[in-house]
Short mmCIF file of all heavy atoms in Angstrom, two decimals:
data_model
loop_
_atom_site.label_atom_id
_atom_site.label_comp_id
_atom_site.label_asym_id
_atom_site.label_seq_id
_atom_site.Cartn_x
_atom_site.Cartn_y
_atom_site.Cartn_z
N LYS B 1229 -31.16 11.03 11.31
CA LYS B 1229 -32.04 12.04 11.90
C LYS B 1229 -32.03 11.96 13.42
O LYS B 1229 -32.65 12.76 14.10
CB LYS B 1229 -33.47 11.86 11.37
CG LYS B 1229 -33.60 12.02 9.86
CD LYS B 1229 -35.03 11.72 9.38
CE LYS B 1229 -35.09 11.51 7.89
NZ LYS B 1229 -34.65 10.12 7.49
N GLY B 1251 -32.94 7.65 29.17
CA GLY B 1251 -34.17 7.00 29.62
C GLY B 1251 -34.58 5.80 28.78
O GLY B 1251 -33.73 5.02 28.36
N ALA B 1274 -16.80 -3.86 29.41
CA ALA B 1274 -17.41 -2.86 30.31
C ALA B 1274 -18.50 -2.06 29.57
O ALA B 1274 -19.56 -1.75 30.14
CB ALA B 1274 -16.34 -1.93 30.87
N LEU B 1355 -18.34 -4.61 -5.12
CA LEU B 1355 -16.91 -4.87 -5.16
C LEU B 1355 -16.61 -5.85 -6.30
O LEU B 1355 -17.34 -6.82 -6.49
CB LEU B 1355 -16.52 -5.50 -3.83
CG LEU B 1355 -15.17 -5.19 -3.19
CD1 LEU B 1355 -14.96 -3.71 -3.02
CD2 LEU B 1355 -15.06 -5.90 -1.85
N ARG B 1447 3.42 8.29 12.77
CA ARG B 1447 2.67 7.10 13.19
C ARG B 1447 3.30 5.89 12.50
O ARG B 1447 3.19 5.74 11.29
CB ARG B 1447 1.21 7.25 12.79
CG ARG B 1447 0.33 6.06 13.09
CD ARG B 1447 -1.10 6.35 12.68
NE ARG B 1447 -1.96 5.19 12.81
CZ ARG B 1447 -2.10 4.27 11.87
NH1 ARG B 1447 -1.43 4.35 10.75
NH2 ARG B 1447 -2.92 3.25 12.05
#
Side-chain angles (χ1 to χ4, degrees):
Chain B
K1229 299 176 196 80
L1355 215 55
R1447 177 179 174 274

